[in-house]
Amino acid sequence: MSSFSVDDIPEVKEAHECATRSDWGGAVQLLERANQVLGSVPELQLLTQTRLANIHQLKGDLAKEISARKAVLAAAINLEPKKKYSSAHALSIALLRAGEIDRALVYCLEPLQDIEELEEETEAKLVASIILAHHPTRHVEVSGVLDSISDTINEANSHFSCAREMIRGRYLLLTSDEDAAHVSLRPSDDVVDAFRRAEEFAPVDSPEILGVASACSGGLLKGLNPGVSTGDSGDGMFYEGQMLRDLEASLNKAVQSFDKLEGDRSTYYLANTLRKLANVKKLKGDGVISEGLFRSVLSKLNSLPKTVFRAQLEAQTTHDYASLLEKMEWNGRSRKSEADKLLAQVPSEGGSTETGHYLNYGSTLDQWIMNTFGGRG
């Protein structure tokens, strides 16, 4: 039995194939069937339940994802603690995306009462700080939670220090003064410093978190990171050449890190980072290079299964690309009609999928949060 894997189950194999070709309904049916068959093998059943929750997430059905993650947590309680904690984190993130912040807090704070392992305690605090950052009244607790992690980390776990500072930077962005941000080219020094510290802490042997840290420190202008309000090239504001060169260097560093990853995760990270690079090129006036990058992003996304996250990134990329075309000419003729045609292809808000109220896949940091704590880590 020890050599048997959940991937050896025919229904699970077929479900994976269905997901690859975006047949979410088929994948759900197959995993539900496998879940029934494995009723007497709780460890394997837990794995199929987790995959079912992940399919609902990729499909964009938040309500069913939350229901499935509750079932996963209930099943995990009687198994090893690590699975219970990670299941609670995934449920908390799903509830946050659904806008149910108070319920999310219940599930992410509860594990802190009986956690004994330092690593698990730190992960729980990171998730709690993410949830608290979005709470209308309790967001002031975030700094305290993050600061408490300082005493629970060491050099062997520098990724925790990196994660702490990235989440701190994100929290500061969420609570920044929008009016003040409009008069500066960058967010506050506190925000910039947090992301710079994150990049310094990022372990060189972990390309994913190193790439995310680089992308965060290189994404501090409007259109590159959600939540930052600064002028763009259409506002008549002047972007310093050195600032744009620094941004470009950080994003290129992120691309190098993400190139070392494999599979769909790598494609998502690369597509999003190249989208940000395209916006930097647009601000620098390199329209031809910017257009080439936007086309490359859309091509990469087109190679992925039709998930809710692909749809979100495609929409954001298309809007960014269209804003470039509106200002371009070809043989003396405006390309605005091309921009209008592109925008007409973007699905209207809502539709058959849900991206959630919070956490935006257009943010590389939010991508990492969902990948790490949202159930597919």
Side-chain angles (χ1 to χ4, degrees), residues 239-251:
Y239 290 95
E240 296 175 350
Q242 187 59 49
M243 177 190 296
L244 292 176
R245 285 192 290 273
D246 290 345
L247 290 170
E248 189 171 357
S250 293
L251 292 171

Side-chain angles (χ1 to χ4, degrees), residues 104-317:
L105 273 178
V106 170
Y107 287 104
C108 75
L109 293 177
E110 200 171 71
L112 282 170
Q113 300 174 11
D114 60 359
I115 289 179
E116 296 180 358
E117 295 293 330
L118 202 58
E119 182 174 334
E120 292 167 355
E121 177 187 344
T122 303
E123 288 180 354
K125 286 181 176 180
L126 290 173
V127 175
S129 65
I130 293 165
I131 308 298
L132 284 167
H134 296 84
H135 197 280
T137 58
R138 298 186 61 182
H139 60 85
V140 293
E141 300 175 36
V142 171
S143 294
V145 175
L146 292 175
D147 289 342
S148 73
I149 294 176
S150 302
D151 299 324
T152 64
I153 56 178
N154 53 54
E155 291 183 2
N157 290 316
S158 61
H159 63 284
F160 285 141
S161 301
C162 176
R164 179 196 64 205
E165 294 308 313
M166 288 196 298
I167 293 170
R168 189 192 305 278
R170 189 185 189 287
Y171 163 66
L172 292 170
L173 282 176
L174 287 171
T175 56
S176 63
D177 186 333
E178 290 289 323
D179 292 332
H182 272 292
V183 300
S184 64
L185 296 177
R186 286 195 180 192
S188 68
D189 289 342
D190 288 342
V191 174
V192 176
D193 289 345
F195 285 132
R196 292 286 184 255
R197 286 195 302 272
E199 192 170 17
E200 291 172 5
F201 280 123
V204 295
D205 60 347
S206 178
E208 180 175 8
I209 196 168
L210 178 61
V212 173
S214 297
C216 285
S217 66
L220 297 177
L221 291 180
K222 183 180 180 181
L224 305 183
N225 248 3
V228 187
S229 296
T230 58
D232 60 27
S233 57
D235 294 332
M237 293 190 69
F238 175 69
Y239 290 95
E240 296 175 350
Q242 187 59 49
M243 177 190 296
L244 292 176
R245 285 192 290 273
D246 290 345
L247 290 170
E248 189 171 357
S250 293
L251 292 171
N252 278 322
K253 185 177 177 182
V255 169
Q256 292 174 3
S257 294
F258 294 144
D259 261 334
K260 298 175 183 177
L261 301 176
E262 297 180 352
D264 290 356
R265 182 173 297 195
S266 172
T267 304
Y268 274 115
Y269 278 131
L270 281 170
N272 205 12
T273 308
L274 291 174
R275 179 179 69 87
K276 296 177 183 183
L277 267 173
N279 280 320
V280 169
K281 292 293 187 181
K282 180 169 63 174
L283 290 172
K284 290 177 68 175
D286 297 332
V288 174
I289 297 177
S290 178
E291 180 175 9
L293 287 170
F294 282 132
R295 285 179 175 273
S296 176
V297 171
L298 292 173
S299 176
K300 286 182 179 296
L301 292 174
N302 192 51
S303 70
L304 295 168
K306 296 178 182 178
T307 69
V308 64
F309 303 121
R310 168 183 155 176
Q312 189 176 56
L313 277 180
E314 281 179 330
Q316 291 176 324
T317 303

